Amino acid sequence: MSGHTPGALELDDIQRGVLSPRPTPYAATYLVFRIDDREHGREVMRRLAAVVTSAADPAGALGETWVSVAVTCHGLRALGVPEASLATFAWEFQQGMAARAKTLSDVGDSDPRHWEAPLGSSDIHVVLAAVAPDAQRLQAAIERARPVYDELPGVTAIWRQDCHALPTETEHFGYRDGISQPAVEGSGIAGSNQLETPLKAGEFVLGYPDELGGVQTPQPHVLGRNGSYVTFRKLHQRVAVFRRYLRDNAHDPDDEELLAAKIMGRWRSGAPLALSPLRDDPALGADPARRNTFGYEHDDPAGFVTPGGCHIRRANPRDAAVAGDVRLHRMIRRGAVYGPPLPPGVLDDDGADRGLMFTFIGAHLGRQFEFVQSEWMNNGVFFGASDTRDPVLGAHDGTAELIIPRRPLRRRLSPLSRFVTTRGGEYCFLPGLRALRWLGDLTD
């Protein structure tokens, strides 16, 4: 175990992509591979162990440029990991994301039958993600990684998604993204909310105690420890539909911006309603030290300022009084924009594919990602709002009105359309660096 203090995070064995926030601005690429030859697949794992940067080197020679590698359950099987070992992984991971479609509300246009090929199929084995501050450094990182797989005909690249920061540094709906991240004990990386106590490392990294005192470690120990589960989802954003909803339901341009803030819980600049309830405050939205340090319970328990059903309050209720323990459902979230922006003011769809590559990292697929997706994004019982859905990510069918708390009367708006559809995704395992070498050294 290389002489580490028991219980201390072994940062030199954890992939940097698990704990480090992406750079701002950024460029990113996702590459998906199928393993057709077991020995070639194992050789890829051996080579990747030398390319992947560890969390112990956040300011190394490559700066804010790094490569991460994740493997699906089908991928582990293709590498020859024994079935007895696969059975010790989370059962959601074993099933795969497509099989979990009903729980995740991937229905209608988001049904796996409509996903972009080959996403959702058993051909998804290895996912390589490269992140850099700009396109030039990203391309250099991809070129450095290219020998890992180009020389091995038994490993085939089958899908690619390029991502980039928009000039506005927002996502396609116009909101500043990537604001809220939890602090992880022992990581050395501060969380974005100074009021939040750091979470136990076992909530995000396998092999360490979590908030309940349990330790989740797939077997054998060398494979499971210092790994994490990662969810990646390609989410198509219907920008014109979103803009038209705001325009049709607002009284004037100022009211349109207020409505956008009430839907998200933040103004487009990133300034939270909790700290700037009446008007946008771009200086606050640009200040990482202030824009995420707030709660709800003391000043706004009823949601008159930040609606209980808005996106950020659903995704992280913070200190609000809700059913259950919020800390058990915290996630590390990352988002990377893909596709061209829809020009400002355009209310008609131009047919371009644009959206967000969403990534979740954690140690508990069920009570973190799947719970939030099913119980918080697509239900409202946890805060006393029956079966209402998240206004941004919810699986709307055009029948449920949007209701915004307001004195003396609630504001009732027209039924919500589905603004975001799933184009594909998968559950993966991010092995530690020793685990990558172990996978490379497997024998039949």
Side-chain angles (χ1 to χ4, degrees):
M1 296 300 293
S2 68
H4 289 273
T5 303
L9 267 179
E10 297 172 359
L11 296 175
D12 61 343
D13 193 41
I14 298 169
Q15 292 195 44
R16 180 175 171 184
V18 172
L19 299 171
S20 294
R22 61 165 168 73
T24 301
Y26 65 87
T29 291
Y30 289 81
L31 294 167
V32 171
F33 300 90
R34 184 186 66 239
I35 298 171
D36 299 311
D37 179 275
R38 180 166 290 178
E39 286 306 317
H40 286 185
R42 291 168 178 172
E43 178 61 23
V44 164
M45 294 298 111
R46 284 193 291 269
R47 294 180 183 184
L48 282 171
V51 172
V52 172
T53 308
S54 82
D57 190 27
L62 300 180
E64 290 191 301
T65 300
W66 67 85
V67 172
S68 298
V69 60
V71 188
T72 67
C73 191
H74 287 295
L76 291 177
R77 187 173 284 115
L79 289 168
V81 174
E83 291 296 324
S85 175
L86 297 180
T88 66
F89 282 78
W91 62 279
E92 298 91 351
F93 170 77
Q94 296 178 52
Q95 287 190 308
M97 186 180 291
R100 308 292 299 155
K102 184 175 181 181
T103 296
L104 300 176
S105 293
D106 283 334
V107 296
D109 290 345
S110 293
D111 190 288
R113 290 175 297 178
H114 307 308
W115 285 6
E116 185 177 313
L119 301 180
S121 75
S122 59
D123 286 344
I124 307 294
H125 292 166
V126 179
V127 180
L128 193 71
V131 182
D134 53 53
Q136 183 177 356
R137 279 178 278 189
L138 175 66
Q139 188 58 37
I142 294 172
E143 290 303 318
R144 281 193 296 272
R146 192 175 300 278
V148 168
Y149 55 87
D150 257 8
E151 304 165 5
L152 299 168
V155 178
T156 306
I158 59 174
W159 188 81
R160 175 172 178 162
Q161 182 65 64
D162 294 320
C163 302
H164 56 277
L166 297 177
T168 54
E169 295 190 8
T170 67
E171 48 73 57
H172 285 293
F173 289 152
Y175 299 94
R176 186 186 294 270
D177 194 27
I179 290 175
S180 181
Q181 296 295 341
V184 183
E185 276 190 5
S187 70
I189 299 173
S192 55
N193 183 356
Q194 298 175 38
L195 302 177
E196 182 179 56
T197 303
L199 284 101
K200 297 294 184 184
E203 289 297 309
F204 308 103
V205 185
L206 295 161
Y208 299 87
D210 59 24
E211 289 287 310
L212 296 174
V215 177
Q216 308 297 319
T217 315
Q219 296 301 307
H221 192 269
V222 65
L223 174 61
R225 185 171 173 83
N226 294 319
S228 297
Y229 293 113
V230 58
T231 293
F232 82 88
R233 283 164 74 78
K234 181 174 181 179
L235 302 176
H236 171 72
Q237 293 177 263
R238 303 173 68 198
V239 179
V241 175
F242 182 75
R243 289 179 181 175
R244 190 170 290 280
Y245 183 86
L246 295 177
R247 183 69 54 86
D248 291 347
N249 284 276
H251 307 307
D252 54 46
D254 287 342
D255 187 50
E256 191 172 326
E257 288 305 303
L258 176 61
L259 177 55
K262 290 291 186 179
I263 284 174
M264 179 60 64
R266 293 184 185 273
W267 300 92
R268 308 232 207 197
S269 71
L273 285 169
L275 300 179
S276 186
L278 301 179
R279 62 188 62 84
D280 196 358
D281 184 346
L284 171 61
D287 187 346
R290 296 192 296 141
R291 67 190 181 195
N292 200 48
T293 300
F294 61 88
Y296 301 119
E297 188 59 28
H298 179 67
D299 297 318
D300 188 30
F304 286 110
V305 175
T306 307
C310 74
H311 176 68
I312 70 164
R313 195 156 171 170
R314 282 176 174 270
N316 177 18
R318 300 178 186 243
D319 61 341
V322 299
D325 186 342
V326 170
R327 291 175 66 84
L328 298 183
H329 312 296
R330 294 288 279 126
M331 297 188 289
I332 294 174
R333 296 180 179 84
R334 309 252 169 77
V337 171
Y338 74 86
L342 187 67
V346 174
L347 299 179
D348 295 309
D349 185 55
D350 61 358
D353 184 19
R354 58 178 57 88
L356 199 69
M357 285 296 294
F358 168 86
T359 303
F360 144 78
I361 295 170
H364 303 275
L365 283 172
R367 70 166 166 84
Q368 291 173 323
F369 174 69
E370 288 207 352
F371 179 92
V372 171
Q373 185 71 15
S374 62
E375 302 301 321
W376 288 359
M377 294 293 107
N378 285 291
N379 209 318
V381 172
F382 75 102
F383 70 101
S386 186
D387 59 353
T388 61
R389 301 174 186 266
D390 182 277
V392 181
L393 292 180
H396 296 286
D397 58 7
T399 61
E401 295 178 312
L402 175 62
I403 298 176
I404 297 175
R406 186 179 63 174
R407 293 187 178 97
L409 296 174
R410 297 180 297 173
R411 184 174 180 180
R412 304 178 71 95
L413 303 174
S414 61
L416 289 156
S417 299
R418 186 156 194 169
F419 300 131
V420 176
T421 57
T422 307
R423 289 288 172 88
E426 192 51 272
Y427 290 148
C428 301
F429 171 63
L430 275 163
L433 274 67
R434 285 196 294 272
L436 284 174
R437 293 190 289 270
W438 182 86
L439 288 167
D441 291 339
L442 280 170
T443 57
D444 292 326

